[in-house]
Amino acid sequence: MAVTRWQPSLRRRLLAFLLIPVGVLLLLDAMLTYGVALAYSNRVHDRDLGDDALSLAQMLRIGRLRDGLSQQARFLLEYDPDGRSYFSVRSQRRGVIADNARFRQPPPPAVGDPPELFDTALGPHPLRAAVVSLHPDADPTDTLTVSVAETLRDRHRRAREILMMAVPLQTLLIVAVLLLVWSGVDYGLRVLDPLTARLAAREHEITPIGEADVPREILPLTKTIDGLFARLRGALELQERFIADAAHQLRTPLAGLSLHVERALADDSSPHAVKEALGHIRQLTRRTARTSAQLLALTRAQSPLDAPEAHATVDLSRLVPEVIGLRIREALAAGVDLGFQGAQQPLWITGDVASLHELLDNLIDNGLRYAGRGSSLTVGLAAVPQGIRLYVEDDGPGVPDALLPRLGERFFRLPGTAQEGTGLGLAIVERIAARHGARVSYRRVAPHGLCVAVLFPAAALGEVALA
């Protein structure tokens, strides 16, 4: 099968989920690297700034400040090829002796303390400064405060240089990792090749994939496929069973039809023989039609494709009398007293109306066929602690206790039964009941007769409220 351009790809999906986080990590790593480099640059420059303050203080302590700083000292202090340096020398007695800028300064430290570093600003420009105090040799009673400051330009430039050295190396490392990931994903996906080859080698075999060589990560997928295979096998088996049942059940009436047609053709001079043959043909045709309808009904009831999710809430107290009303004329023709006995309040279950109608039709039809003329047939409905009980009871000849367990088997009919039938009615009832989570039971009625009961689970209160 050709792979289209826009068809989803597991490899592309894995790489996309890896590539985006790796890109974000590269950005975060660059920010972290710049922060670390700036911290390192600040530490180095702070140490140099403190040394400059100490050097200037030592120079001023042994020098003479009557005429201020010499031009040479001022040049050395102000010279900075990477930015600009600022200084300030103040005397406790004489005030400002020399400076090249006025920037904010904290209170001076005590004499003999190490240089104190602080952040300040010159207008809108931030500065980093160091201040130290000392007693000059020329006047030990006086206190000089020496401050040295510099801009932050060089610090940031050094941090950028470190970043520019680190990022290419980290990028190469990440590219190498991505290549390894690509190779790893490609190698890891090869574990699916034996499974793909094994499935491709199958022709008409629909068996479970199994778990022998299936990776743990795709076990849910293979189990889902196995479930699909099981449902497909069930559908195919149902189809094969239907074909076999149809062939088995239709063989006799079709042979009878052929026989009576040949009989009518062979004796076409006798109207009575032709009429008799046509009567048999009509009877066999009806039997064939009923058998076909019963087979189709059984197939629908057994179908694994009938989704219980499509069921809705049904009020049996309304449905059952409606179905009984449709069979009154047929019951009168059969000489059977058909009646209903049930509560007047709603009795809700969850199910499919058409299937429930077919279930009840088969129960009534079974009673009408086998109860016999002059008998009574009662359809009852009642709420019991276990759910909703639907039953059909007759006072006909009944069924021996030894044969009760066989009721519901496909094509099973009581020995010696003269009535025509397919033996599928109760089988259909049991399949439909199973679809609705119901249970079918059979019991003899004293002194004679049969009761077929279907116990449905009652619908939940929430489902009834939505109905």
Side-chain angles (χ1 to χ4, degrees), residues 5 40 135 250 324 369 385:
R5 179 181 178 184
Y40 176 76
H135 295 304
L250 298 179
I324 293 175
R369 284 179 178 274

Side-chain angles (χ1 to χ4, degrees), residues 374-426:
S375 61
S376 297
L377 182 66
T378 302
V379 180
L381 190 62
V384 295
Q386 298 83 2
I388 309 298
R389 183 172 180 265
L390 168 67
Y391 64 92
V392 177
E393 181 178 318
D394 65 69
D395 56 359
V399 177
D401 290 336
L403 297 180
L404 284 177
R406 298 199 60 186
L407 296 179
E409 292 182 8
R410 293 184 310 138
F411 308 119
F412 173 74
R413 302 183 67 213
L414 291 177
T417 301
Q419 291 290 334
E420 292 185 357
T422 61
L424 295 174
L426 293 180

